[in-house]
Amino acid sequence: MYFSDNYRICINFMISVLTEDNRLIAVLWRVLSPFQGQANMHIFEDYCGGSIDQFRNNILYPLFPNLRTTVSRLAVSPKSKDYGLRIFGYLHPAVTDEYIFAIASDDNSEFWLSLDESPQNLQRLVYVGETGDEWTAPGEYWKFASQISKPILLVKDMKYFFEAILKQNKGMDHLEIAWCLNRYNSSFAVISSEFLSVYEDESSLQMGDIDHIPQTEASYDRFLEPFAKSTKPTGDMVKLDPRDQIYKITMMDESYLKDLFVECHYKPSYLLETNIGRYEGVNLIYFSSVYPNDYTRQTHDLTEHMCFYKQEPSFQESQGFEPYLFEVKEPDLQKNIAGVASSWQRVFDVKPFDVASKQNAAAINACKKAGNIVMTRNDVLPIVTAFLKALHSKEPTRGFSLLRVLNIVRREDNAVGSRYLVELELVGPQGQKVLVSRYVYAPQMKMDQNAQTDPFICSPNEFSWNPSATVHVIVAVKNQARWIIQFIREMEKIYRVTGDKHFNVIIIDYSSSDVDINERLKKAKLPSYQYRKMEGNFQRSGGLQAGIDLVEDEHSILFLCDLHLYYPVNIINYIRKHTIEGKMVYAPVVMRLDCGASPRDPTGFWETAGYGLMGIYKSDMVRIGGMNTKEFKEKWGGEDWELLDRVLGNGLEVERLHLRNFLHHFHTRHGMWVSSGAEKR
């Protein structure tokens, strides 16, 4: 159908004056506009499996679908099973700008976009899973790292070929493709009919007519190709995250940041200054939240089931995710043989569903696959904006601009205000990259102002971290040769990769007879170490205290730990920034690996009840009385909870975060120290 320029102007004017009737606008747009408001959809029924690879490997894909029809928006839920969908056509952006795309589905899905109208220039922007086991709730765009794209520049009055693929196995089925402008205050919205047009009008074609079907990098006829072996992809947590390499970035000269913020009184409402009952501390712990998503949630674990979603107040198990879908009543331009609209053409809308940002301490303890609470972009925008304005107000830093937000950690306190660790990568006038990593405080009274007003942030009194503090990693051992050697290898790995000279390894040895630990330490490539031999039966509390006693500098950090651990290379840096002298200790949550799991493919659960791994300044350890070597002399198990009680009772905060790639290897008690009379909780 051909439209003159005057006629097109007339149509656009009619649409503009009818803004109060969105339904009428949609009708006008789809009936009169050359964009047509539709996309092609090919349906492949009776295809088992949940992965896109299984879908593509079917001999009939992509040329011979069961049904060819159209769909009016990129959100479908046919309520069927064992099928695959291929949706393709053109996108028509309304404005020239950078767009971010997102995808959600059950089961696997992909969204591809061309740089222009040619199907030959496709690139995969976002996807949900590759094994067939991954899925998301409707509108849940933040479950996997692969679901949200980088910004893509699109130009108004151009059209862009796109392709979306869904493979559904069993259970609830849905697919949503959403987009938003690259703005901090933008939210994702499903791509609707006014931005769509078909690739080809197939209404008059027979099913045997296949020459028009686009063959692309995403979907082409593989009939003559040999079968390729598939490899299992790794989980999101082991993929590189900007936080993993923060230690490589040079910190900005501290003199540039002097008096960056006014100093303010800082005393959280949850601080205690009195003794508490035995083992009560574990019930008083708060979890901090992070941004951006660090993917500590066990999304790819089949045993997760619905645990994570059950913690969300609006979720009703009896109804599942059905209430999250809002059916859209748009006129269908195509009907089936019977003249009735098919369920394949049913479209819906969905609100963005960021369940990870709604978790709390109770949910994390109940669902040990959950990982860290994740803030949304809008949660951190005001703080980052206010931080940058303060930074640019200082003469030495005006030439620096924001390169990326590396890490934000928030400890929320609804009573008085929230504390933030803000870590930003900046780039200077000569292209030099620097790191700013500081704690700031946002008093509650200032957080309720008009959304257009930047929040007031200040420097919490005596609350800053020391980038050069020495960290002493302390472990007590007896007759665990293979694990002792592996522990030393882990420490060597950290030193080899980071080159950090400000950490010290302390091993307290209860007369091990299966390895000469001191000799191993002499040969090890470590910045420094200390070794002490003890007599008698193994004592964890006594051994750790012996290591503590070897540390002379009270302004250095003790990290109390165990064997059987896999350490991320940035752990020393993490310990420093989350351990504040006189104010806060750091108790990172470790993941216990399942039997058969490994650091390359980590599955397991987060040990939210364990506090045996703790970073604390020597001065604070002395103040609270050290390890309890009297009650926990011939046994261990409970000594971590008892220590936690005294930490809290002395007015110290406990920073509690799940630490990426901090793993406890699976092992049995075979060869452990149980035979010595020790007990394990």
Side-chain angles (χ1 to χ4, degrees):
M1 186 182 298
Y2 174 79
F3 290 83
S4 69
D5 290 340
N6 289 336
Y7 192 47
R8 193 186 309 277
I9 293 171
C10 179
I11 293 173
N12 290 333
F13 173 76
M14 292 173 64
I15 292 176
S16 68
V17 299
L18 292 171
T19 55
E20 295 183 359
D21 192 337
N22 292 331
R23 181 174 171 79
L24 184 55
I25 291 173
V27 173
L28 283 170
W29 185 267
R30 293 173 59 185
V31 173
L32 300 178
S33 169
F35 293 169
Q36 300 178 351
Q38 301 274 308
N40 297 94
M41 182 166 70
H42 289 186
I43 300 152
F44 298 79
E45 296 180 289
D46 300 323
Y47 277 38
C48 295
S51 77
I52 300 298
D53 271 350
Q54 288 173 301
F55 187 20
R56 290 192 178 109
N57 286 334
N58 192 292
I59 200 70
L60 297 177
Y61 186 83
L63 300 179
F64 306 101
N66 295 78
L67 178 66
R68 300 196 299 230
T69 183
T70 59
V71 66
S72 60
R73 65 168 46 205
L74 301 189
V76 297
S77 179
K79 297 184 179 180
S80 188
K81 63 180 181 180
D82 296 332
Y83 70 85
L85 296 181
R86 184 191 185 199
I87 303 173
F88 56 95
Y90 295 109
L91 281 184
H92 302 266
V95 295
T96 298
D97 211 325
E98 286 188 333
Y99 291 75
I100 298 175
F101 290 83
I103 190 170
S105 65
D106 187 346
D107 296 306
N108 289 183
S109 61
E110 297 179 352
F111 178 74
W112 296 65
L113 184 68
S114 174
L115 300 177
D116 50 33
E117 63 184 76
S118 171
Q120 305 309 312
N121 295 326
L122 276 184
Q123 56 180 326
R124 188 175 70 168
L125 295 189
V126 288
Y127 63 94
V128 174
E130 293 179 314
T131 70
D133 298 326
E134 304 88 349
W135 56 274
T136 78
E140 186 185 18
Y141 304 123
W142 298 271
K143 188 175 183 182
F144 300 96
S146 59
Q147 288 181 258
I148 297 178
S149 76
K150 295 179 180 179
I152 303 294
L153 178 64
L154 301 182
V155 179
K156 181 183 178 182
D157 295 330
M158 283 189 64
K159 64 180 182 179
Y160 298 86
F161 181 83
F162 74 89
E163 184 168 341
I165 308 171
L166 169 70
K167 182 63 192 74
Q168 164 62 10
N169 191 11
K170 301 290 193 298
M172 180 182 177
D173 58 335
H174 67 92
L175 167 68
E176 306 91 65
I177 310 297
W179 60 357
C180 69
L181 295 180
N182 186 20
R183 305 280 191 276
Y184 269 108
N185 59 352
S186 294
S187 59
F188 286 114
V190 168
I191 299 175
S192 50
S193 58
E194 59 266 38
F195 307 107
L196 299 175
S197 69
V198 296
Y199 174 77
E200 184 82 14
D201 181 0
E202 299 179 299
S203 59
S204 61
L205 298 178
Q206 295 181 327
M207 289 300 290
D209 296 330
I210 62 172
D211 292 341
H212 68 285
I213 297 177
Q215 296 201 41
T216 66
E217 185 177 350
S219 303
Y220 62 89
D221 185 8
R222 288 168 167 77
F223 179 67
L224 297 179
E225 282 192 355
F227 289 106
K229 293 183 179 179
S230 61
T231 58
K232 184 179 180 182
T234 58
D236 284 337
M237 190 177 72
V238 302
K239 297 176 182 176
L240 189 63
D241 183 274
R243 297 175 183 84
D244 300 338
Q245 298 184 334
I246 284 181
Y247 65 88
K248 292 184 176 181
I249 308 172
T250 302
M251 294 194 70
M252 177 175 277
D253 191 321
E254 188 61 29
S255 64
Y256 288 7
L257 304 173
K258 186 179 180 181
D259 302 323
L260 183 61
F261 303 102
V262 297
E263 194 171 273
C264 55
H265 177 68
Y266 173 67
K267 188 176 182 180
S269 63
Y270 47 77
L271 282 186
L272 302 175
E273 293 181 347
T274 182
N275 293 331
I276 58 178
R278 175 59 65 94
Y279 299 155
E280 282 296 314
V282 292
N283 300 316
L284 303 174
I285 291 298
Y286 295 80
F287 285 84
S288 294
S289 51
V290 303
Y291 177 88
N293 195 336
D294 61 355
Y295 299 100
T296 47
R297 177 181 170 193
Q298 285 288 279
T299 50
H300 65 298
D301 190 346
L302 284 175
T303 62
E304 179 198 27
H305 297 300
M306 302 299 289
C307 174
F308 194 74
Y309 302 94
K310 291 178 182 178
Q311 312 307 320
E312 214 290 306
S314 62
F315 178 77
Q316 300 180 31
E317 190 169 4
S318 60
Q319 299 182 25
F321 295 120
E322 287 294 336
Y324 293 84
L325 306 181
F326 308 98
E327 190 162 355
V328 175
K329 301 296 184 182
E330 290 187 310
D332 291 298
L333 298 186
Q334 287 195 2
K335 308 293 183 180
N336 60 23
I337 298 171
V340 179
S342 166
S343 61
W344 294 110
Q345 296 174 303
R346 181 189 296 115
V347 293
F348 64 93
D349 201 0
V350 61
K351 295 180 180 178
F353 180 45
D354 189 6
V355 66
S357 66
K358 301 178 182 180
Q359 300 302 290
N360 53 36
I364 289 174
N365 283 316
C367 183
K368 296 189 177 184
K369 305 286 186 179
N372 283 319
I373 303 167
V374 180
M375 291 179 282
T376 66
R377 188 169 58 172
N378 291 339
D379 289 332
V380 303
L381 171 63
I383 298 299
V384 172
T385 301
F387 193 103
L388 289 173
K389 284 185 177 180
L391 192 68
H392 292 154
S393 69
K394 293 187 67 67
E395 187 63 35
T397 60
R398 286 181 180 173
F400 288 85
S401 59
L402 178 66
L403 187 61
R404 55 180 173 172
V405 176
L406 294 170
N407 184 41
I408 308 288
V409 179
R410 178 181 68 186
R411 173 61 65 86
E412 195 168 19
D413 186 349
N414 292 326
V416 295
S418 298
R419 164 176 51 80
Y420 295 83
L421 172 63
V422 178
E423 298 192 288
L424 309 175
E425 186 177 14
L426 309 176
V427 60
Q430 282 75 47
Q432 70 274 32
K433 296 178 182 178
V434 294
L435 170 69
V436 175
S437 177
R438 294 179 74 89
Y439 281 99
V440 297
Y441 181 57
Q444 184 64 35
M445 65 202 70
K446 300 292 185 180
M447 294 296 288
D448 295 330
Q449 296 178 352
N450 187 283
Q452 300 301 315
T453 304
D454 293 331
F456 171 77
I457 58 176
C458 54
S459 180
N461 184 38
E462 298 181 349
F463 201 99
S464 60
W465 69 280
N466 182 359
S468 59
T470 298
V471 177
H472 302 271
V473 182
I474 307 174
V475 65
V477 301
K478 180 181 177 69
N479 287 340
Q480 290 283 293
R482 53 183 181 157
W483 289 110
I484 293 168
I485 294 172
Q486 180 58 28
F487 168 75
I488 295 173
R489 283 158 51 94
E490 286 287 323
M491 296 298 104
E492 288 182 299
K493 175 189 72 176
I494 294 170
Y495 182 47
R496 181 176 65 253
V497 175
T498 67
D500 193 326
K501 297 181 182 297
H502 298 287
F503 81 94
N504 177 47
V505 176
I506 300 177
I507 297 182
I508 306 301
D509 174 24
Y510 280 88
S511 301
S512 294
S513 59
D514 58 355
V515 62
D516 188 335
I517 298 176
N518 195 31
E519 192 62 28
R520 281 281 179 175
L521 285 170
K522 289 179 181 178
K523 296 178 180 178
K525 295 181 179 179
L526 296 169
S528 64
Y529 72 87
Q530 290 169 279
Y531 170 79
R532 182 178 175 184
K533 191 171 184 178
M534 305 280 284
E535 300 297 330
N537 292 332
F538 174 82
Q539 300 177 28
R540 185 176 190 271
S541 292
L544 291 178
Q545 186 60 49
I548 293 168
D549 293 339
L550 291 177
V551 177
E552 297 180 358
D553 180 10
E554 290 200 346
H555 303 295
S556 59
I557 302 172
L558 314 170
F559 186 62
L560 314 177
C561 65
D562 286 318
L563 294 178
H564 317 111
L565 297 177
Y566 176 88
Y567 295 83
V569 294
N570 58 348
I571 190 167
I572 303 299
N573 183 266
Y574 261 72
I575 293 169
R576 287 194 189 104
K577 70 180 61 172
H578 294 299
T579 309
I580 313 297
E581 188 168 12
K583 298 291 185 178
M584 185 167 74
V585 306
Y586 178 42
V589 185
V590 66
M591 176 187 284
R592 286 190 174 271
L593 292 175
D594 293 333
C595 183
S598 73
R600 291 186 179 88
D601 186 18
T603 59
F605 67 92
W606 292 102
E607 183 55 273
T608 56
Y611 289 84
L613 310 171
M614 182 178 290
I616 180 172
Y617 269 87
K618 171 70 182 285
S619 58
D620 291 326
M621 181 59 94
V622 171
R623 178 160 64 92
I624 69 174
M627 300 298 297
N628 187 340
T629 58
K630 293 183 178 179
E631 292 186 64
F632 299 93
K633 185 175 182 180
E634 295 294 335
K635 65 177 181 179
W636 71 94
E639 79 285 347
D640 55 340
W641 286 7
E642 190 276 338
L643 178 63
L644 178 65
D645 291 341
R646 287 185 285 121
V647 165
L648 293 173
N650 281 273
L652 292 169
E653 289 188 65
V654 177
E655 182 69 292
R656 193 66 165 155
L657 288 165
H658 303 68
L659 179 54
R660 284 170 48 86
N661 299 313
F662 190 30
L663 311 170
H664 186 282
H665 293 282
F666 179 87
H667 64 88
T668 66
R669 295 187 182 182
H670 180 71
M672 299 284 284
W673 310 291
V674 176
S675 59
S676 67
E679 298 175 1
K680 183 67 176 171
R681 182 176 66 227

